[in-house]
């Protein structure tokens, strides 16, 4: 077995990374506190802080008074050590968020993109990034990384975006490389539902779970798989594109054509759900509102409540029909429901889906509604950008 000797420079790098992580998690600390939390001696902790300070990674944060002995200096992560931008792209707009290396969100910006042509994707992204940076008071040249969440997936073999015919302008050769060269910043492009799953894993009901399935449903329907604690993207990046999945009770692409309404989307996507609700005499401007109205009516009881209950059970049965083969193959610890249409159903809908799913499969994972608030795509993109930036910065060589 080959082993790498514990050279002084390697040990310094390990100690530096550990100290930065502790400062990130615990906030401003004194030299003795940092030494205690990292297990380093006071002289070593002092040298380490001097090194990180000289590298611009930590800064003084005042002094702590009122304690026995000498007045203690406080140190914290330098927020300006790096800045990242997250983008959430839909056909109608690009939402942007800027954060410093500590994760503090400095500004948010929204760029409408209705009817944009197909040839200006770099310009669109640049405008969104610059708008957010202007509000945050950050020079775009100081950005360390940009992560873009989009309703599609980049094929690693072709470097092109797939599953996103509804978003014009993004279907160009070498999408990530073109954006990187045009913006002058490292760029990652990630499927939006995958980013929602990362948010759920970090902040929601999936926290502490290494194997779970997240189902997103609104107008469209999609899923994300987290296996062994990591996102499973598939060979072409399309893992989780379950809207196209052949499903019992729905027409197949053989019958409708590939661009026709087929598969799980035709059974349980927004338009299908809205049609089903109307067949039960339940109204709403969109699927989410129709489901919200049904939950309200079901709680009131009576004839209308019984009708709403039947509609909700039928929706749950359709959702379970698509979840069943995924559950049987993956055997997840947990199924998470999210997206505007599903969130509108709340715990009432998640309990119905769980009942229907458990009636169909031997693996019987709990089904829970997402608890994440605000924009989970932006939150997930920021988390991914910060994790990458921190890993690069914290692993960089610090002058000795």
């Amino acid at each position: 077995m080959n082993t790498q000797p514990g050279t002084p420079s390697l040990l310094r790098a390990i100690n530096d990374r550990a100290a930065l992580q502790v400062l990130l998690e615990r906030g401003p600390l004194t030299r003795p506190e940092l030494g205690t939390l990292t297990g380093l001696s006071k002289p070593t902790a002092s040298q380490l802080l001097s090194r990180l300070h000289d590298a611009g990674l930590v800064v003084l944060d005042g002094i702590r008074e009122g304690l026995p002995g000498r007045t203690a200096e406080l140190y914290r992560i330098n927020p300006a050590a790096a800045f990242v931008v997250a983008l959430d792209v839909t056909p109608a707009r690009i939402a942007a968020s800027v954060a410093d290396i500590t994760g503090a969100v400095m500004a948010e910006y929204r760029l409408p993109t209705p009817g944009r042509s197909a040839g200006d994707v770099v310009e669109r992204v640049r405008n969104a990034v610059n708008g957010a940076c202007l509000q945050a008071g950050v020079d775009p040249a100081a950005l360390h990384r940009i992560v873009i969440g989009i309703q599609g997936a980049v094929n690693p073999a072709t470097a092109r975006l797939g599953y996103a015919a509804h978003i014009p302008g993004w279907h160009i050769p070498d999408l990530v490389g073109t954006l990187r060269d045009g913006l002058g910043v490292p760029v990652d492009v990630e499927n939006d539902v995958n980013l929602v799953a990362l948010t759920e894993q970090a902040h929601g009901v999936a926290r502490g779970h290494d194997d779970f399935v997240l189902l997103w449903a609104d107008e469209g329907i999609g899923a994300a798989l987290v296996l062994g604690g990591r996102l499973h993207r598939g060979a072409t990046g399309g893992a989780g594109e379950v809207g196209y999945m052949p499903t019992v009770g729905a027409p197949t692409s053989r019958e409708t054509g590939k661009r026709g309404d087929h598969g799980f989307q035709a059974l349980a996507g927004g338009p299908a759900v809205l049609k089903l609700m109307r067949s039960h005499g339940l109204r709403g401007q969109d699927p989410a509102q129709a489901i919200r109205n049904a939950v309200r009516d079901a709680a009131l009881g009576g004839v209308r409540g019984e009708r709403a209950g039947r509609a909700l059970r039928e929706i749950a049965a359709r959702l379970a029909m698509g979840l069943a083969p995924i559950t049987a193959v993956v055997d997840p610890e947990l199924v998470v429901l999210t997206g505007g249409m599903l969130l509108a159903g709340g715990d009432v809908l998640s309990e119905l889906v769980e009942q229907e799913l458990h009636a169909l499969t031997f693996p019987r994972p709990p089904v829970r509604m997402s608890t994440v608030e605000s924009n989970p795509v932006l939150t997930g993109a920021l988390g991914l950008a910060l994790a990458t930036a921190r890993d690069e910065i914290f692993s960089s060589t610090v002058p000795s």
Side-chain angles (χ1 to χ4, degrees):
M1 178 183 296
N2 294 325
T3 59
Q4 184 176 7
T7 61
S9 60
L10 176 61
L11 294 176
R12 279 197 301 271
I14 293 172
N15 290 339
D16 292 346
R17 185 183 181 92
L20 289 166
Q21 191 63 41
V22 168
L23 285 168
L24 190 65
E25 295 170 355
R26 301 293 291 268
L29 297 169
T30 65
R31 293 173 192 250
E33 287 171 340
L34 185 62
T36 299
L37 291 170
T38 57
L40 301 175
S41 67
K42 289 183 180 180
T44 301
S46 180
Q47 294 170 5
L48 177 150
L49 279 171
S50 296
R51 199 162 56 240
L52 296 177
H53 185 270
D54 291 343
L57 298 180
V58 301
V59 292
L60 284 170
D61 193 52
I63 57 175
R64 181 173 294 164
E65 298 177 332
L67 299 176
R70 298 173 56 190
T71 299
E73 293 178 330
L74 287 166
Y75 290 85
R76 63 183 172 90
I77 295 284
N78 180 9
F83 300 99
V84 300
V85 168
L87 301 180
D88 175 18
V89 177
T90 70
R93 56 95 177 121
I94 299 177
S97 185
V98 182
D100 63 36
I101 194 63
T102 71
V105 175
M106 305 173 66
E108 294 184 346
Y109 180 77
R110 189 182 182 94
L111 176 71
T113 58
R116 288 299 190 100
S117 65
D120 59 353
V121 61
V122 175
E123 179 186 355
R124 269 180 278 172
V125 172
R126 183 185 295 112
N127 289 340
V129 170
N130 288 348
C133 286
L134 180 63
Q135 289 191 7
V138 172
D139 184 351
L143 294 177
H144 198 86
R145 185 162 294 269
I146 297 171
V147 172
I148 301 171
I150 194 168
Q151 300 167 356
V154 175
N155 186 328
T158 66
R160 299 185 74 109
L161 185 71
Y163 309 99
H166 59 297
I167 304 182
W170 289 79
H171 309 90
I172 59 177
D174 190 16
L175 174 63
V176 174
T178 299
L179 290 169
R180 180 196 61 227
D181 295 342
L183 300 171
V185 182
V187 175
D188 294 312
V189 176
E190 181 60 85
N191 173 261
D192 60 341
V193 181
N194 282 349
L195 291 173
V196 174
L198 292 180
T199 301
E200 203 65 51
Q201 186 181 33
H203 307 290
V205 293
R207 191 169 185 175
H209 292 277
D210 287 336
D211 294 88
F212 68 93
V213 172
L214 180 138
L215 181 71
W216 170 286
D218 204 3
E219 286 296 319
I221 194 164
L225 306 177
V226 174
L227 306 176
R230 302 174 68 88
L231 276 174
H232 178 72
R233 296 178 175 87
T236 67
E241 294 289 348
V242 297
Y244 303 95
M245 180 176 67
T247 308
V248 175
T252 67
S253 60
R254 181 178 298 170
E255 297 152 357
T256 67
K258 289 186 177 181
R259 296 189 180 276
D261 195 19
H262 65 274
F264 196 18
Q265 172 70 25
L267 187 70
V273 167
L274 192 58
K275 182 178 179 180
L276 183 153
M277 299 297 278
R278 288 173 176 168
S279 73
H280 285 273
L282 299 164
R283 299 294 173 181
Q285 291 183 345
D286 53 44
Q289 186 181 66
I291 288 180
R292 195 175 295 111
N293 292 342
V295 171
R296 179 202 60 202
D297 291 350
L300 294 175
V303 175
R304 188 173 180 84
E306 291 179 3
R307 185 170 56 193
R310 287 194 299 270
L312 290 171
R313 284 192 293 273
E314 187 171 345
I315 291 170
R318 292 186 178 197
L319 292 167
M321 189 62 69
L323 281 168
I326 303 171
T327 301
V329 171
V330 175
D331 188 17
E333 298 174 316
L334 177 71
V335 173
V336 180
L337 304 181
T338 190
M341 186 177 81
L342 299 184
L343 290 170
D347 291 339
V348 171
L349 184 58
S350 66
E351 289 172 6
L352 290 173
V353 172
E354 184 177 85
Q355 292 170 13
E356 295 291 338
L357 180 62
H358 291 184
L360 295 175
T361 60
F362 285 110
R364 295 182 174 92
V367 178
R368 298 291 181 265
M369 197 63 67
S370 169
T371 57
V372 172
E373 298 179 356
S374 68
N375 186 327
V377 177
L378 270 183
T379 302
L382 269 183
L384 185 58
L386 287 166
T388 305
R390 288 167 182 167
D391 187 61
E392 292 174 352
I393 291 173
F394 292 3
S395 298
S396 64
T397 302
V398 177
S400 58

